[in-house]
């Protein structure tokens, strides 16, 4: 149950797009499309932004803007945020189902909007 | 509205026990699995445990297996996390979360803080 690998920090200017990577192994990200992404503002509760990266269709809970999209290739999942806004500045965590009814999170990426 | 409210956190000495509770409201609790996730100070999220909608199955992270026990009372809309043999590295904010289809966690409580220190 080793944590998924994410860049510690990333940044972008308002209006730009940023892509956050999340690298796992063949038995978690590589095997399952059950990758989810969470946004956490400082001192706040995590918020589900994306769930399930199968079939090339981004699945978002209601209320999450279409600017947030996700994909997966082999052992790496990615979250893309287009049209960056100031409120997108937060920590982002990926999470993958890892089989045997266990889950593993990434270490988190601090996104700064310049 | 859908709400999860954790309680039971506090300061506890290493080796001692603590029980966390999560009160659920606003949805049919009997239909959902529930998760516990923790976040150490200045650290990332760590999955802790999951319990099936009917309590029939429970699974744990290796880091807590044998020390923590997840349970639920569907008559009271409550989820619990019994934590034994606590260690300094168990210090964290503990969140309960609803198990969303497709293996995600769609609703989170506000968290309760556990500090293990002598």
């Amino acid at each position: 149950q080793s944590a998924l690998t994410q860049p510690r920090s990333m940044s972008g200017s308002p209006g730009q797009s940023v892509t956050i990577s999340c690298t796992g192994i063949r038995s978690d990200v590589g095997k399952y499309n059950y990758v989810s992404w969470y946004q956490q503002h400082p001192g706040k509760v995590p918020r589900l932004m994306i769930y399930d990266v199968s079939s090339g269709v981004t699945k978002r809970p209601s209320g999450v803007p279409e600017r947030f999209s996700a994909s997966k290739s082999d052992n790496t999942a990615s979250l893309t945020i287009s049209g960056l806004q100031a409120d997108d500045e937060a920590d982002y965590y990926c999470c993958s189902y890892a089989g045997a009814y266990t889950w593993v999170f990434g270490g988190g990426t601090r996104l700064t909007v310049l | 509205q859908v709400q999860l409210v954790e309680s039971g956190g506090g300061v506890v000495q290493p080796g001692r026990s603590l029980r966390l509770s999560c009160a659920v409201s606003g949805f049919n609790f009997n239909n959902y699995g529930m998760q516990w996730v923790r976040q150490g100070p200045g650290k990332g999220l760590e999955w802790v445990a999951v319990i099936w909608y009917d309590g029939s199955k429970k699974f744990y992270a290796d880091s807590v297996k044998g020390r923590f026990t997840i349970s639920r009372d569907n008559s009271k809309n409550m989820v619990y996390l019994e934590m034994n043999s606590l260690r300094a590295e168990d210090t964290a904010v503990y969140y309960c979360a609803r198990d969303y289809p497709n293996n995600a966690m769609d609703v989170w409580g506000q968290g309760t803080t556990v500090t293990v220190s002598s």
Side-chain angles (χ1 to χ4, degrees), chain A residues 1 34 38 40 52 101, chain B residues 39 52 62 102-103 105 108:
Chain A
Q1 294 178 346
Y34 297 131
Y38 301 84
Q40 187 180 34
D52 192 336
Y101 305 108
Chain B
Q39 186 169 32
W52 251 229
D62 288 343
N102 301 79
N103 293 294
M105 300 155 207
W108 296 61

Side-chain angles (χ1 to χ4, degrees), chain B:
Chain B
Q1 73 278 23
V2 175
Q3 196 170 15
L4 309 178
V5 179
E6 302 93 335
S7 60
V11 180
V12 61
Q13 293 180 329
R16 303 298 289 264
S17 300
L18 203 62
R19 188 175 89 151
L20 306 182
S21 300
C22 174
V24 172
S25 60
F27 64 95
N28 192 340
F29 180 64
N30 296 357
N31 288 349
Y32 289 86
M34 297 296 294
Q35 308 257 17
W36 284 96
V37 175
R38 69 184 181 183
Q39 186 169 32
K43 296 185 178 179
L45 301 172
E46 180 187 11
W47 175 75
V48 174
V50 63
I51 187 167
W52 251 229
Y53 68 99
D54 59 355
S56 62
K57 297 192 179 193
K58 308 169 187 182
F59 298 91
Y60 302 91
D62 288 343
S63 57
V64 307
K65 199 174 296 182
R67 300 188 299 122
F68 289 13
T69 301
I70 189 172
S71 61
R72 64 190 293 159
D73 185 337
N74 283 2
S75 68
K76 296 181 179 179
N77 282 18
M78 296 289 296
V79 186
Y80 305 100
L81 187 67
E82 183 77 35
M83 305 185 295
N84 298 321
S85 302
L86 282 162
R87 308 166 179 165
E89 54 265 36
D90 296 319
T91 295
V93 175
Y94 285 75
Y95 296 100
C96 67
R98 187 172 73 172
D99 189 37
Y100 193 62
N102 301 79
N103 293 294
M105 300 155 207
D106 69 329
V107 182
W108 296 61
Q110 86 288 348
T112 187
T113 301
V114 173
T115 302
V116 183
S117 173
S118 54

Side-chain angles (χ1 to χ4, degrees), chain A residues 38-52:
Chain A
Y38 301 84
Q39 177 192 63
Q40 187 180 34
H41 287 108
K44 301 297 186 182
V45 174
R47 176 192 179 190
L48 176 64
M49 304 300 284
I50 301 284
Y51 65 95
D52 192 336

Side-chain angles (χ1 to χ4, degrees), chain A residues 2-100:
Chain A
S2 297
L4 308 176
T5 300
Q6 298 181 234
R8 290 186 64 88
S9 64
M10 295 191 71
S11 63
S13 299
Q16 287 186 333
S17 294
V18 294
T19 297
I20 301 172
S21 62
C22 168
T23 301
I25 58 178
R26 194 163 52 184
S27 60
D28 45 51
V29 176
K31 185 171 183 178
Y32 301 101
N33 289 323
Y34 297 131
V35 176
S36 49
W37 287 89
Y38 301 84
Q39 177 192 63
Q40 187 180 34
H41 287 108
K44 301 297 186 182
V45 174
R47 176 192 179 190
L48 176 64
M49 304 300 284
I50 301 284
Y51 65 95
D52 192 336
V53 295
S54 59
S55 306
V57 177
T58 295
K59 296 181 180 176
R60 290 176 292 271
S62 62
V64 175
E66 291 184 4
R67 302 186 294 106
F68 290 82
S69 62
S71 62
K72 193 195 84 165
S73 177
D74 297 327
N75 298 343
T76 299
S78 299
L79 172 71
T80 297
I81 309 171
S82 58
L84 265 180
Q85 299 179 0
D87 189 53
D88 297 335
E89 185 164 294
D91 294 327
Y92 291 85
Y93 294 92
C94 60
C95 179
S96 176
Y97 179 66

